Amino acid sequence: MTITTVATSMPIAVSRARPSAYSFHEVSESNNVVFSRGSSFAKLKSSCNMYSTQLISQYVKNGVPRFRKMTTKAMSDSSDKNTLPGLPIDLRGKRAFVAGIGDDNGYGWAIAKSLAAAGAEILVGTWVPILNIFETSLRQGRFDKSRVLPDGSLMNITKVYPLDAVFDTPEDVPEDVKSSKRYMGSTKWTIKEVADSVKDDFGSIDILVHSLANGPEVIKQLLETSRYGYLGAISSSSYSFVSLLKHFLPIMNPGSATISLSYMASERIIPGYGGGMSAAKAALECDTRVLAFEAGRIKGIRVNTISAGPLRSRAAKAIGTGTIDMMINYSLQNAPIQKELFAEEIGNAAAFLASPLASAITGTTLYVDNGLNAMGMAVDSPTISEHPMIQKKLTQ
């Protein structure tokens, strides 16, 4: 399906803007951007990418300033003939395939918007059982408010492809899935088939984004996780990225960029984040380094992953609201920068990694988490919170 609208071709930069008065708990939007929640995939519902939508006014009393929202601003008009000032993110003439968009509330959507704001053409891979709902919502304008770009135009999605990243080829699909009503009416949705379809339709791509994950037993402790649950998390959350790059590599232009999404649980203990998801994210980051070497030597393709901070999303609810709230509150209290983390900040980081400005960056895990990953101690711990130096820092 092709959704026809006016696409932007503006490079972007980041500036400060006043916070929106809207609540970010359900659908958050401002005059310029929409900050999204996690994808609603059933099989991919246990994403580690979580973001908080709550304000942190309760921390102002401790001397913590209320930070303002980061907002994407246009730097020039849409004419390709204009000379670009400074060092803008310019992706005009580039084509991106974003795997893992199921609605307008996910990380994939936020990344697609930032790429589109920089001028890239957007192709989308959507989980087969929700394809009709997603396409209908696009066609009927239900996502129009969240498609608004900095110049006032709407993000254009050139084409939506059905995709189930759990299956590499048609031969891998079990009979019960083939005959499922949820898959009826859709064809060519395995990873290889989607890559072949994109080749037939467009010839090549320049940016590949992996924005999907699933842990069927994520609410279980690791000691309680079955082999099925553990391997399911690895298959959906990490090997799916290997397979995507493997099958899209032949149609990726030299110097292309790939981006995936990780989480700090890959290297640190995060109680409540179970079912083998921490191992899946560790595998994803390890694979990022190995693939950076292999794809880099083949076509000069850059391979990076973004480790996003704790954020509340629809997908994150799979591990329990209480667990998400704990992670969010911990980050707000202990991260070096005490502010909300917005999906747009992940999107803008992805746009940077996909741009020529990051031409020498590959094999890297980029933390976009307000600095929480750098902390070795919890400053709100009763053990150290009364220390004179800590107390002074908290009340300045």
Side-chain angles (χ1 to χ4, degrees), residues 99-389:
I101 296 183
D103 53 35
D104 62 342
N105 297 311
Y107 266 128
W109 183 272
I111 291 173
K113 283 192 66 176
S114 289
L115 295 177
E121 179 181 13
I122 305 299
L123 311 178
V124 167
T126 298
W127 190 48
V128 185
I130 64 171
L131 178 67
N132 289 336
I133 297 175
F134 180 67
E135 289 186 324
T136 300
S137 297
L138 276 173
R139 185 170 56 252
Q140 295 181 351
R142 297 175 188 173
F143 297 155
D144 283 357
K145 287 186 178 180
S146 55
R147 291 169 63 200
V148 177
L149 295 174
D151 68 344
S153 66
L154 300 182
M155 175 178 68
N156 179 53
I157 297 178
T158 302
K159 188 166 184 177
V160 180
Y161 293 86
L163 171 67
D164 192 328
V166 173
F167 304 108
D168 303 318
T169 67
E171 293 73 28
D172 299 325
V173 183
E175 286 301 323
D176 63 327
V177 175
K178 291 179 181 178
S179 60
S180 172
K181 292 183 179 179
R182 299 196 299 173
Y183 286 76
M184 293 181 65
S186 295
T187 60
K188 298 182 178 180
W189 42 259
T190 64
I191 292 177
K192 182 181 186 304
E193 290 174 303
V194 173
D196 289 342
S197 294
V198 172
K199 178 182 179 181
D200 292 341
D201 294 338
F202 299 97
S204 65
I205 65 170
D206 305 280
I207 302 166
L208 178 64
V209 178
H210 176 277
S211 178
L212 47 87
N214 175 50
E217 299 180 10
V218 68
I219 62 174
K220 294 183 179 181
Q221 295 184 24
L222 187 56
L223 284 172
E224 299 173 349
T225 301
S226 69
R227 184 182 296 271
Y228 163 81
Y230 189 93
L231 295 180
I234 296 289
S235 174
S236 299
S237 309
S238 52
Y239 185 77
S240 57
F241 176 60
V242 177
S243 183
L244 274 172
L245 182 53
K246 172 184 177 181
H247 290 96
F248 273 87
L249 184 64
I251 66 170
M252 296 183 73
N253 293 317
S256 293
T258 70
I259 301 160
S260 63
L261 292 168
S262 189
Y263 180 51
M264 191 171 63
S266 63
E267 58 181 314
R268 299 175 186 269
I269 301 168
I270 306 294
Y273 191 73
M277 280 302 299
S278 56
K281 292 304 179 181
L284 179 65
E285 293 182 11
C286 179
D287 293 342
T288 294
R289 293 185 286 272
V290 177
L291 292 172
F293 172 78
E294 295 179 356
R297 290 301 180 95
I298 294 173
K299 278 190 174 182
I301 293 173
R302 296 179 290 110
V303 184
N304 294 294
T305 189
I306 295 174
S307 181
L311 306 163
R312 184 178 289 110
S313 70
R314 182 180 304 163
K317 293 180 181 178
I319 67 175
T321 303
T323 302
I324 298 302
D325 290 341
M326 176 270 293
M327 292 177 175
I328 292 167
N329 292 333
Y330 182 88
S331 178
L332 288 170
Q333 287 281 20
N334 294 285
I337 302 176
Q338 287 184 277
K339 71 170 185 63
E340 299 165 89
L341 182 62
F342 296 105
E344 185 197 18
E345 294 173 304
I346 310 301
N348 288 344
F352 162 72
L353 288 175
S355 76
L357 297 181
S359 59
I361 300 175
T362 192
T364 295
T365 298
L366 176 65
Y367 294 94
V368 185
D369 63 356
N370 290 324
L372 184 63
N373 72 92
M375 297 300 297
M377 300 180 72
V379 295
D380 64 345
S381 169
T383 305
I384 66 171
S385 60
E386 299 303 320
H387 188 283
M389 181 176 293

